[in-house]
């Protein structure tokens, strides 16, 4: 687009054209207009206007007949937009002026009274809060759905051992159900963050007007209640310039996307051939155009990757906001695309993650086989030395280390050592020690609260399934 001013004479904006004689240059219009993306706010904009008009009429600021005309006019506009019959006009900048201009086109003078005691500054702050609130409710339900899917699979695999890792090195056996329930805990915190964000968000900026409030005898409690807000915001400057609710939403999104990315990474690892712990069906994998054997976990990889755009949105909006003097500045128009994009990405990642969790089949035999490899029950052996022989834990750790070295040299797991070989390191070891070296004994022994014992896991999975029912 050319940056030569191409002024459209006598084409000043119909909403504020009073002191303008010419329209904007093409590039001004391009950088200024938000209708390309803020049309997403049309439902919220109409709800906000209906609440505002009802309040204006109730307070005698506009005639009741005008409110009625505004109500039916806005209903007609809602129908036009829903049916894809609304002609959005970039010259009208944004959703607010597009709807208001169309309203006046439809109902005449009454439409021009709607903006009494209101500004686009409190209007957009209200619309956007309503949009984020709806998004929170939808995403919360999706997070709960993923938790339900995970808890269901956890109940199914409560007693199936797999290797537990730290540093991605074999650490101790855990159950697959326990591993899945760890993600349920993370997602429960994500829901907590959403609820917390929603609670703080739920104040109405409507009536803050441009920045200072208004001289009209408006009733902000009335519009707040009509829109489902708990109360009006208490400071008009803050009301129009606060975007904390969007930032908190993005922070919750970024943390949750990070959780989904960790799960996705595990899915990628688990379904790689050397691991082979799970298999995803054709529904959640893609093939390779050259390598016929391939079954690629693209959905998991994309869940992992989309974390980048969610983090980007958070950092992007923080950066937009960080230097803004009070109150509203047009910079804040850049809040919406970040939030819309992050919300879409988060929703898609939740849907894909839920799909994969439901789809995956676990190779429990293979997981079990690996669960016991890599001396995974070494800690159980050390614990036995403490419990039965009363060795101090540090000494037991040392003795066990020597036994691991022996087994390694012999090329066997700990259970492959003979009693004599054990006794060569610690003379008081008895045959009983072998009972703690199996994977099942190991996981069954982890009965501490929050531990991986199958009985614990079954109970936790049932608790979650009950809570989420
Ligand atoms: N489209 C604008 C936004 O999204 C609406 C508010 C415009 N206010 C103004 N004073 N120009 O932020």
């Amino acid at each position: 687009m050319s940056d030569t001013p191409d002024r459209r004479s006598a084409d000043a904006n119909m909403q504020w054209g009073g002191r303008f004689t010419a329209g904007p240059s093409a590039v001004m219009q391009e950088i200024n207009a938000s209708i390309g993306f803020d049309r997403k706010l049309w439902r919220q904009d109409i709800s906000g206007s209906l609440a505002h008009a009802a309040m204006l009429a109730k307070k005698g600021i506009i005639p009741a007949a005008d409110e009625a005309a505004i109500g039916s006019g806005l209903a007609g506009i809602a129908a036009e937009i829903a049916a894809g019959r609304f002609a959005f006009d970039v010259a009208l900048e944004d959703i607010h002026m597009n709807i208001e201009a169309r309203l006046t086109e439809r109902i005449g003078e009454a439409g021009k009274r709607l903006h009494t005691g209101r500004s686009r500054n409190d209007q957009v702050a209200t619309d956007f809060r309503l949009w984020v609130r709806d998004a929170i409710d939808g995403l919360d339900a999706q997070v709960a759905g993923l938790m339900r899917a995970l808890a269901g699979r956890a109940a199914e695999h409560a007693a199936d051992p797999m290797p537990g890792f730290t540093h991605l090195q074999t650490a101790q056996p855990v159950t697959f159900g326990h591993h899945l329930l760890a993600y349920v805990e993370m997602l429960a915190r994500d829901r907590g963050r959403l609820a917390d964000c929603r609670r703080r968000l739920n104040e109405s900026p409507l009536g803050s007007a441009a920045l200072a409030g208004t001289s009209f005898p408006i009733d902000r409690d009335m519009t707040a209640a009509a829109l489902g807000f708990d109360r009006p915001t208490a400071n008009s400057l803050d009301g129009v310039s606060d975007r904390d609710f969007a930032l908190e939403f993005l922070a919750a999104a970024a943390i949750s996307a990070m959780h989904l990315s960790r799960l996705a990474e595990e899915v990628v690892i688990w379904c790689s051939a050397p691991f082979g712990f799970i298999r995803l069906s054709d529904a959640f994998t893609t093939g390779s155009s050259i390598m016929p054997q391939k079954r690629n976990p693209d959905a998991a990889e994309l869940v992992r990757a989309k974390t980048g755009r969610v983090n980007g949105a958070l950092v992007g909006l923080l950066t937009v906001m960080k230097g803004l003097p009070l109150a509203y500045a047009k910079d804040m128009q850049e809040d919406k695309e970040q939030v819309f994009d992050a919300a879409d990405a988060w929703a898609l990642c939740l849907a894909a993650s839920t799909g994969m969790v439901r789809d995956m089949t676990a190779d429990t035999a293979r997981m079990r086989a690996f669960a016991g490899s890599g001396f995974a029950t070494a800690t159980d052996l050390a614990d036995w030395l403490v419990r039965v022989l009363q060795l101090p834990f540090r000494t037991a750790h040392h003795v066990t280390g020597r036994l691991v070295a022996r087994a390694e040299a012999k090329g066997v797991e700990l259970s492959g050592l003979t009693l004599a070989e054990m006794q060569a390191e610690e003379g008081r070891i008895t045959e009983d020690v072998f009972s703690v070296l199996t994977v099942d004994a190991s996981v069954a022994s982890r009965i501490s609260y929050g531990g991986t014992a199958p009985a614990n896991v079954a109970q936790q999975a049932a608790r979650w399934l009950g809570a989420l029912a």
Side-chain angles (χ1 to χ4, degrees):
M1 185 173 289
S2 149
D3 56 2
T4 353
D6 88 33
R7 298 217 171 254
R8 299 173 306 155
S9 56
D11 199 12
N13 187 292
M14 61 189 290
Q15 309 299 314
W16 65 60
R19 75 180 290 269
F20 284 67
T21 50
S25 75
V27 71
M28 173 61 197
Q29 187 170 82
E30 190 185 1
I31 197 170
N32 199 38
S34 52
I35 189 61
F37 49 87
D38 69 12
R39 62 177 69 182
K40 248 189 200 307
L41 299 175
W42 70 268
R43 280 192 187 81
Q44 291 76 16
D45 197 69
I46 287 176
S47 304
S49 289
L50 289 171
H52 185 64
M55 181 278 293
L56 291 177
K58 169 103 186 296
K59 299 297 289 181
I61 302 169
I62 62 170
D66 284 358
E67 189 220 336
I70 289 169
S72 56
L74 288 173
I77 290 171
E80 285 175 5
I81 299 177
R85 283 189 285 106
F86 188 93
F88 290 103
D89 182 359
V90 73
L92 289 166
E93 266 190 55
D94 56 26
I95 187 64
H96 323 296
M97 294 204 296
N98 266 271
I99 290 178
E100 194 190 321
R102 178 75 183 121
L103 181 66
T104 299
E105 223 168 72
R106 287 181 67 122
I107 68 170
E109 283 294 291
K112 296 187 185 172
R113 292 195 212 283
L114 172 60
H115 214 50
T116 315
R118 181 177 83 167
S119 153
R120 275 189 297 155
N121 296 350
D122 59 338
Q123 195 178 350
V124 72
T126 305
D127 292 2
F128 199 28
R129 278 187 197 235
L130 291 172
W131 192 92
V132 172
R133 194 176 70 185
D134 288 346
I136 286 173
D137 294 344
L139 286 157
D140 180 67
Q142 274 194 281
V143 177
L146 175 53
M147 290 170 71
R148 223 174 280 121
L150 284 162
R153 302 310 304 264
E156 190 184 324
H157 294 293
D160 289 325
M162 70 179 281
F165 301 95
T166 60
H167 313 265
L168 200 55
Q169 304 294 313
T170 301
Q172 298 174 1
V174 295
T175 63
F176 190 38
H178 195 55
H179 198 118
L180 296 176
L181 285 179
Y183 285 96
V184 175
E185 297 291 334
M186 295 177 222
L187 294 165
R189 292 192 294 274
D190 292 341
R191 290 188 76 195
R193 270 178 284 274
L194 280 172
D196 195 37
C197 166
R198 192 190 199 284
R199 191 173 48 72
R200 249 189 311 281
L201 163 153
N202 209 29
E203 293 186 346
S204 172
L206 192 58
S208 299
L211 76 167
T214 174
S215 58
F216 292 99
I218 59 172
D219 182 348
R220 296 192 57 207
D221 290 301
M222 181 179 166
T223 48
L227 295 170
F229 288 115
D230 296 327
R231 65 192 79 84
T233 53
N235 180 298
S236 60
L237 292 165
D238 182 51
V240 295
S241 68
D242 166 49
R243 292 295 182 272
D244 290 1
F245 63 94
L247 290 167
E248 288 190 33
F249 174 77
L250 291 175
I255 293 172
S256 183
M258 173 274 289
H259 292 151
L260 301 181
S261 180
R262 295 183 74 177
L263 176 60
E265 168 67 4
E266 305 226 69
V267 167
V268 169
I269 291 173
W270 292 341
C271 65
S272 70
F275 272 77
F277 288 179
I278 62 167
R279 186 173 198 279
L280 289 171
S281 78
D282 295 359
F284 280 93
T285 47
T286 61
S288 157
S289 53
I290 175 170
M291 298 165 283
Q293 85 283 10
K294 291 279 251 173
R295 174 182 285 283
N296 296 327
D298 293 33
E301 293 167 85
L302 286 162
V303 168
R304 194 171 58 183
K306 282 183 190 292
T307 313
R309 50 203 301 162
V310 180
N311 292 352
L314 172 61
V315 174
L317 185 55
L318 280 170
T319 310
V320 166
M321 296 303 296
K322 70 170 270 296
L324 293 187
L326 296 182
Y328 177 85
K330 199 59 170 272
D331 307 51
M332 291 162 68
Q333 180 165 283
E334 289 285 310
D335 56 0
K336 284 173 276 300
E337 282 170 295
Q338 310 271 12
V339 169
F340 293 158
D341 186 71
D344 285 348
W346 189 7
L348 187 54
C349 288
L350 284 165
S353 302
T354 308
M356 284 187 285
V357 166
R358 292 215 180 97
D359 180 81
M360 69 184 179
T361 40
D363 187 339
T364 52
R366 194 171 163 86
M367 281 195 215
R368 171 180 285 276
F370 280 102
S373 71
F375 314 107
T377 52
T379 313
D380 299 271
L381 173 50
D383 287 352
W384 184 91
L385 296 171
V386 170
R387 200 171 53 247
V388 179
L389 304 185
Q390 265 94 50
L391 293 189
F393 182 76
R394 275 292 150 238
T395 311
H397 185 286
H398 187 79
V399 171
T400 306
R402 300 188 54 85
L403 287 168
V404 167
R406 258 179 195 269
E408 202 167 27
K410 192 181 172 190
V412 294
E413 290 293 333
L414 284 168
S415 56
L417 291 175
T418 63
L419 182 59
E421 285 164 333
M422 296 254 193
Q423 286 170 339
E425 294 297 341
E426 167 50 64
R428 290 171 296 160
I429 294 179
T430 67
E431 194 67 39
D432 178 57
V433 78
F434 290 99
S435 69
V436 301
L437 297 183
T438 68
V439 159
D440 285 301
S442 174
V443 293
S445 73
R446 299 301 199 274
I447 53 172
S448 54
Y449 180 72
T452 197
N456 277 4
V457 175
Q459 199 184 355
Q460 292 283 351
R463 174 175 74 82
W464 276 119
L465 289 170
L468 293 161

